[in-house]
Amino acid sequence: MTEKNITEIISRFKDPVLNKDFGNLNFIKNVQLNDNNIKINLGITNLQDDSLEKLTAELTKAIKSETGFSGDIDIKYTAGILNHNDKRKENVMPGVKNTIAIASGKGGVGKSTIAVNLAAALTMLDVKVGLIDADIYGPSIPIMLGINKRPEVTKIDGKARLLPVIQYGIKLMSIGFLTQGDEAIVWRGPMASSALKQFMSDVSWDELDILLFDMPPGTGDIQLTLSQTIPLTGAVIITTPQDISLSDAKKGHNMFQKVNVPTLGVIENMSYFVNPDNTKEYIFGKGGGAKMSKEYNVNLLGEIPIATKIREYGDAGMPIVISEPDCDISGIYRSISLELIKQININNSTEKPNLEILI
Ligand code: ADP
């Protein structure tokens, strides 16, 4: 029996969400055969799938019966993430499997806070994450991640490349790295667009499962530049429950639709406040995000409460997901991350008509 034999057996089994076999999905990350045990690292779409126990039992049984192995079989499941298969992507960032815009209609709804916590929660699930802070109106991510250094420049194959700053396992490039201290820059359209393009072409991102873009609010030049430079896997829209925020969030969704970028989901922020007696208070109204999701047939990825500690940890440079990984709010972020991975994989595994041929 060899590791190859074991891999072939696992290949035939299917990811429960996508109903496609692990071999074709390329989700078998590692198989290690030792004297008394076999260690397997298997990618899976939904790490909280109810059927994982059954899958483990079936895999174990198949390996034992087909190879005669009688030692321990240790199967570790980690997030399996499909590549967004779009050829145009290969010329820009070939090692980056998926690019996702985190967008909002309005400023101040918590988009950047969600981008950093989502990046941190995904990293904690063993997902390789990069983050581009493209919010020209207030690049706040270096502060939220407690970063006070700048990217270094290196030469790769004779070409100058920027190395992203790595914090909490997240690779970051920020438009804030391009300014000095508190210096204010008025980013005019073309300048901001060329900075964003540079973040894609001149940065050594290496291999990433997901690259998140923290976009400026609204539907302006930067959004257009992004969607024209790289075929995005999708967008995630952040809104608060109020009508005014929702109406702008809908405009954001419509803009992405126009440029053929699917909305992978909506996240409602500041959904409720948890009173000391554990009752929920719906300060800004209830269920706006859910209503929008239904109306536009997109997924509601989650609802995040308003809580002082979310802001405090953000100000202190250590997002809540990292500071208090076991608290309820971090649990919500984890569940949003799992749902996002699911939506990415469903989106990437669906056959789409080739638009280039149709045009
Ligand atoms: P945006 O990127 O949409 O402009 P930010 O992420 O910068 O918004 O958030 C604006 C402010 O609101 C920040 O001070 C942030 O700490 C705070 N904030 C965001 N989400 C929450 C929340 N759920 N609870 C409490 N404060 C929040």
Side-chain angles (χ1 to χ4, degrees):
M1 173 185 47
T2 62
E3 288 169 355
K4 194 162 166 265
N5 300 138
I6 304 166
T7 305
E8 276 164 8
I9 297 170
I10 306 169
S11 299
R12 301 198 309 259
F13 283 78
K14 285 181 176 170
D15 177 273
V17 172
L18 303 174
N19 202 26
K20 293 195 171 156
D21 61 58
F22 291 118
N24 278 322
L25 291 170
N26 228 349
F27 276 0
I28 307 169
K29 297 185 187 180
N30 192 27
V31 174
Q32 199 188 323
L33 171 64
N34 307 309
D35 288 343
N36 291 319
N37 63 58
I38 296 170
K39 285 192 188 321
I40 297 164
N41 181 347
L42 185 56
I44 197 108
T45 298
N46 181 6
L47 289 169
Q48 280 180 348
D49 203 297
D50 293 339
S51 62
L52 286 192
E53 227 170 279
K54 193 169 145 243
L55 179 64
T56 304
E58 286 173 359
L59 278 166
T60 308
K61 194 173 152 211
I63 295 169
K64 287 193 171 177
S65 71
E66 289 182 43
T67 64
F69 180 78
S70 58
D72 288 334
I73 299 177
D74 175 18
I75 305 173
K76 180 181 160 200
Y77 296 103
T78 49
I81 301 191
L82 286 179
N83 189 9
H84 181 222
N85 242 336
D86 190 315
K87 286 208 176 64
R88 293 167 299 167
K89 178 171 76 75
E90 303 306 317
N91 307 326
V92 194
M93 290 181 288
V96 176
K97 285 189 188 170
N98 292 286
T99 46
I100 294 175
I102 309 287
S104 72
K106 291 182 77 63
V109 298
K111 177 182 46 59
S112 303
T113 307
I114 289 180
V116 291
N117 277 291
L118 197 55
L122 286 163
T123 306
M124 288 160 101
L125 292 170
D126 272 342
V127 177
K128 290 193 202 109
V129 181
L131 179 56
I132 288 185
D133 176 12
D135 191 344
I136 44 173
Y137 303 114
S140 48
I141 292 197
I143 295 173
M144 290 180 177
L145 287 178
I147 293 171
N148 45 28
K149 53 186 175 194
R150 279 159 194 274
E152 286 174 16
V153 183
T154 188
K155 266 206 164 160
I156 298 174
D157 298 333
K159 205 178 157 230
R161 307 278 278 171
L162 283 160
L163 290 173
V165 175
I166 304 177
Q167 183 78 314
Y168 311 129
I170 305 162
K171 288 185 177 170
L172 176 74
M173 273 309 295
S174 170
I175 212 139
F177 292 148
L178 307 179
T179 57
Q180 295 290 334
D182 286 337
E183 174 196 21
I185 285 195
V186 181
W187 286 99
R188 298 198 189 282
M191 207 163 84
S193 293
S194 81
L196 180 66
K197 279 190 193 155
Q198 231 190 346
F199 284 174
M200 289 184 260
S201 59
D202 297 350
V203 173
S204 169
W205 290 107
D206 212 3
E207 304 275 311
L208 289 180
D209 292 310
I210 301 177
L211 178 59
L212 300 173
F213 290 80
D214 183 22
M215 303 301 289
T219 52
D221 287 350
I222 287 276
Q223 278 78 0
L224 207 61
T225 302
L226 181 60
S227 60
Q228 286 169 346
T229 311
I230 189 139
L232 290 166
T233 304
V236 171
I237 313 251
I238 316 298
T239 183
T240 52
Q242 302 98 312
D243 286 344
I244 184 148
S245 167
L246 284 161
S247 118
D248 285 344
K250 289 171 189 170
K251 282 185 200 149
H253 166 76
N254 289 335
M255 179 207 68
F256 283 114
Q257 290 287 100
K258 273 198 191 125
V259 289
N260 281 319
V261 174
T263 298
L264 297 171
V266 170
I267 300 175
E268 189 187 84
N269 191 26
M270 309 191 192
S271 297
Y272 53 87
F273 177 78
V274 180
N275 290 315
D277 64 359
N278 267 334
T279 54
K280 289 180 183 171
E281 191 146 333
Y282 295 87
I283 303 177
F284 302 120
K286 190 177 174 184
K291 217 170 115 199
M292 171 180 168
S293 308
K294 225 172 164 185
E295 196 179 326
Y296 286 79
N297 197 21
V298 292
N299 300 282
L300 182 66
L301 299 176
E303 294 166 318
I304 300 165
I306 181 163
T308 310
K309 61 183 180 181
I310 293 183
R311 183 197 51 76
E312 284 175 347
Y313 285 130
D315 287 350
M318 203 172 180
I320 189 162
V321 166
I322 289 164
S323 304
E324 278 191 48
D326 297 323
C327 77
D328 288 353
I329 294 167
S330 299
I332 295 174
Y333 271 111
R334 213 162 16 253
S335 120
I336 290 175
S337 305
L338 291 170
E339 192 54 40
L340 179 62
I341 291 169
K342 202 164 125 191
Q343 293 310 323
I344 292 172
N345 280 358
I346 291 173
N347 182 76
N348 288 350
S349 69
T350 330
E351 301 288 335
K352 285 183 217 68
N354 189 335
L355 292 172
E356 275 171 326
I357 294 175
L358 290 178
I359 288 167

